[in-house]
Amino acid sequence: MEIQKEQIDDLNAIVKLDIKKEDYSDKVEKILKDYKKQANIPGFRKGQVPMGLIKKQYGKAVLVDEVNKLIQDNLNKYLTEEKLDVLGNPLPKQQDNFNWDTDNFSFEFELGLAPSFEVALKTKKPVTQYKIVADKKMIDEQVDRIQKQYGKLISKEAVEKGNEVSGTFVNEEAEIDNKTTLELENLKSKKAIDLLVGKKVGDTVVLKTKGLFKEEYLLSGALGISKEKADKLAIDVSFTIEEINQRESAVLDQELFDKVFGKDTVSSEKEMRDKIKEDAEKQFEQQADQKLLNDITERLIETIKFDLPSDFLKKWIQTTGENPLTEEEANDEYEKSEKGLRYQLIEGKIIKDNNIEIQFEELKEFAKGFIKSQMAQYGQLNPPEEELEGIAARVLSNQDEARRLSEQLMSQKLLTLYKEKANLKKKEVSYDNFVKEVYG
């Protein structure tokens, strides 16, 4: 067999495979002889079917199968040996009047080649690296939430401002019948507050859903309906009072600190505030890191310019899917995927240039850390090492899970690299300002 490459341009090439009879004849003959031994054809004893009949019945199919295997094996080997960095898969060129009845065959495949380019991580324009801080307002609110959560409920005869009122919302036409607890301080409607204040258990008030809460998302939970339905709702609902309570905030003492943070972890209000700040900023760091990773990705795609074999890729998209696409559909798919492909190539170049690798042991440790954090959410703070090892082994035996964790670990390694080498401009913001600035 002979294989030759014709370079069309920097991004496109054609590989030609010439297959001669001697490349496949022995294998085809052997398979047909095996068929002859096993064939059950009416009128002939097993193993006594004439070879001519076997060739007539099975010869073409066996020939086609063996030639295709030869093509696949040798084409892949050639691409590997020649170190050709191809995009997609080789596409066979259509041959008119192809004849399987000859002894020698020629096949041509189109190749789309990956472009050559350089990556400079230190871009001319800096990327903002946010540090989100927990400000005094946020810490005060969290302390207040903790005191209320662990505080005592004192039953009241009539509703007063600041009370918690439990009852049932009803509107038959809108199919609403839901028990809930209203915190009057969460209500936005002054009219609703005025209607509730002074009412007693058993009283019913009619409230308007529109503008009822300070935070709109609270409405769906209170009415027991979907957010989509709640967003469109502007009706009257009746609310029948079943319980009225005044929540007395818990005292900031050692008993409360131990309940919230674990025994002897925190021993004063200052330490409590410091702990709240530390924990909040750890969580904020994940959001800031994800934002940084996204922004650097966008900046690299924006600044690193290279051409792609777009005509080849559109043709590949059109012909290799489960269902063939029209030319217009393939063009649309290419437009949607081009940006992602560009970053895949950029990321691959960064990984190669910086010798970034993932060893199995570090992937296992990463998996154990992930599992440990998941278990902590359910109160299992110190799982035994043997248990972590066993769960990690099961997780990594699943190919999809192993690939997902590998991608997360690689993102972490790339983020570390970017923090070291990219042109970053650090900016310290409160969480509220981060949300406004990043998400508008």
Side-chain angles (χ1 to χ4, degrees):
M1 176 185 290
E2 290 184 10
I3 303 181
Q4 296 177 328
K5 177 168 73 77
E6 178 189 350
Q7 194 77 28
I8 306 300
D9 56 39
D10 289 344
L11 300 173
N12 296 276
I14 290 177
V15 170
K16 183 178 179 183
L17 291 85
D18 291 321
I19 298 176
K20 296 186 174 150
K21 185 175 181 179
E22 56 264 30
D23 295 323
Y24 61 81
S25 57
D26 288 349
K27 191 68 185 279
V28 169
E29 198 68 29
K30 181 180 182 305
I31 292 171
L32 291 175
K33 283 178 181 178
D34 289 340
Y35 276 27
K36 183 177 184 300
K37 292 176 188 175
Q38 303 298 327
N40 284 311
I41 296 179
F44 298 95
R45 283 186 296 166
K46 187 175 180 180
Q48 299 301 313
V49 181
M51 181 57 81
L53 188 56
I54 294 290
K55 286 184 177 179
K56 184 178 180 182
Q57 193 157 343
Y58 303 108
K60 182 67 66 67
V62 172
L63 169 66
V64 171
D65 190 43
E66 287 307 309
V67 169
N68 280 329
K69 285 180 184 175
L70 269 175
I71 292 170
Q72 193 66 43
D73 292 346
N74 285 277
L75 184 56
N76 288 339
K77 184 180 175 185
Y78 177 79
L79 296 178
T80 302
E81 289 177 347
E82 295 296 313
K83 297 180 180 176
L84 293 176
D85 193 0
V86 299
L87 301 178
N89 293 316
L91 287 177
K93 287 194 74 175
Q94 189 68 35
Q95 296 186 58
D96 296 329
N97 304 317
F98 185 84
N99 185 8
W100 281 104
D101 293 326
T102 60
D103 290 335
N104 301 324
F105 308 101
S106 287
F107 300 91
E108 291 185 344
F109 291 85
E110 297 177 59
L111 303 181
L113 304 176
S116 295
F117 58 91
E118 296 300 321
V119 175
L121 290 178
K122 199 169 279 296
T123 54
K124 187 175 181 181
K125 187 179 176 183
V127 176
T128 301
Q129 180 183 8
Y130 290 96
K131 175 175 173 54
I132 308 171
V133 296
D135 57 12
K136 183 178 183 301
K137 176 175 173 282
M138 173 176 280
I139 295 168
D140 287 345
E141 288 173 351
Q142 181 63 9
V143 170
D144 187 51
R145 274 195 292 271
I146 290 170
Q147 286 184 277
K148 284 183 176 177
Q149 182 182 346
Y150 289 90
K152 289 189 289 188
L153 289 177
I154 301 169
S155 181
K156 307 289 286 187
E157 282 191 17
V159 178
E160 299 173 6
K161 288 184 178 180
N163 284 174
E164 295 179 9
V165 184
S166 297
T168 302
F169 275 114
V170 174
N171 181 299
E172 290 183 9
E173 189 178 341
E175 298 180 336
I176 293 169
D177 187 345
N178 190 61
K179 289 183 182 292
T180 191
T181 297
L182 299 178
E183 294 182 37
L184 263 64
E185 64 182 25
N186 288 334
L187 297 182
K188 178 181 179 182
S189 169
K190 184 178 183 302
K191 187 175 181 181
I193 295 170
D194 290 343
L195 282 170
L196 285 163
V197 169
K199 295 296 186 293
K200 298 181 179 181
V201 171
D203 288 345
T204 298
V205 295
V206 177
L207 305 174
K208 292 188 179 297
T209 58
K210 189 169 180 63
L212 181 58
F213 291 97
K214 292 176 183 175
E215 301 290 344
E216 291 181 2
Y217 73 88
L218 293 172
L219 182 64
S220 61
L223 301 182
I225 58 176
S226 69
K227 184 179 182 302
E228 291 72 24
K229 185 176 177 181
D231 288 344
K232 299 172 186 173
L233 209 59
I235 60 172
D236 290 344
V237 287
S238 66
F239 181 72
T240 301
I241 298 171
E242 296 164 5
E243 191 177 343
I244 306 165
N245 291 299
Q246 173 75 44
R247 188 174 287 274
E248 185 179 275
S249 296
V251 177
L252 295 176
D253 58 13
Q254 194 60 48
E255 183 182 355
L256 177 65
F257 301 149
D258 289 348
K259 280 181 185 175
V260 178
F261 301 103
K263 188 165 176 57
D264 298 330
T265 303
V266 164
S267 57
S268 67
E269 183 180 345
K270 181 182 182 306
E271 287 183 14
M272 176 187 187
R273 289 175 171 276
D274 290 344
K275 179 68 174 163
I276 289 170
K277 181 178 174 66
E278 179 189 344
D279 291 347
E281 290 180 357
K282 274 183 186 173
Q283 292 191 355
F284 295 156
E285 189 177 351
Q286 294 177 2
Q287 284 181 268
D289 280 350
Q290 188 59 55
K291 172 65 177 166
L292 179 61
L293 193 60
N294 293 344
D295 287 349
I296 290 178
T297 297
E298 290 293 328
R299 184 62 54 80
L300 291 172
I301 293 170
E302 176 190 312
T303 56
I304 299 171
K305 305 294 183 184
F306 52 80
D307 292 326
L308 290 169
S310 53
D311 290 341
F312 168 84
L313 289 170
K314 289 172 186 176
K315 190 188 296 185
W316 178 69
I317 290 170
Q318 185 178 1
T319 57
T320 58
E322 203 170 307
N323 299 307
L325 304 178
T326 65
E327 187 175 335
E328 186 178 352
E329 288 172 334
N331 289 344
D332 287 344
E333 284 299 313
Y334 176 74
E335 293 300 324
K336 291 175 189 172
S337 60
E338 182 187 2
K339 192 174 181 180
L341 174 57
R342 286 184 178 278
Y343 185 66
Q344 280 181 16
L345 292 169
I346 292 168
E347 186 183 83
K349 176 74 172 166
I350 292 169
I351 290 168
K352 183 179 178 183
D353 288 352
N354 292 277
N355 300 312
I356 302 175
E357 295 179 342
I358 292 179
Q359 305 294 338
F360 179 75
E361 280 304 313
E362 62 181 338
L363 179 60
K364 186 171 74 172
E365 289 304 311
F366 182 75
K368 283 160 63 177
F370 179 78
I371 293 161
K372 196 172 181 180
S373 67
Q374 293 288 95
M375 294 173 78
Q377 293 179 20
Y378 297 94
Q380 294 176 266
L381 300 178
N382 293 299
E385 183 65 20
E386 308 81 57
E387 186 179 357
L388 285 174
E389 286 276 347
I391 297 173
R394 288 197 297 276
V395 169
L396 294 176
S397 67
N398 181 307
Q399 287 187 350
D400 290 337
E401 283 297 307
R403 181 171 60 253
R404 184 177 65 83
L405 288 168
S406 294
E407 288 170 356
Q408 289 182 8
L409 179 54
M410 181 56 74
S411 291
Q412 199 177 85
K413 284 174 173 274
L414 287 168
L415 186 63
T416 300
L417 178 73
Y418 296 155
K419 286 180 178 179
E420 290 173 1
K421 297 191 174 182
N423 183 11
L424 303 179
K425 177 181 68 177
K426 296 187 179 180
K427 184 171 185 178
E428 194 170 286
V429 291
S430 69
Y431 183 74
D432 285 346
N433 287 337
F434 173 78
V435 172
K436 286 177 189 173
E437 193 165 323
V438 171
Y439 304 109

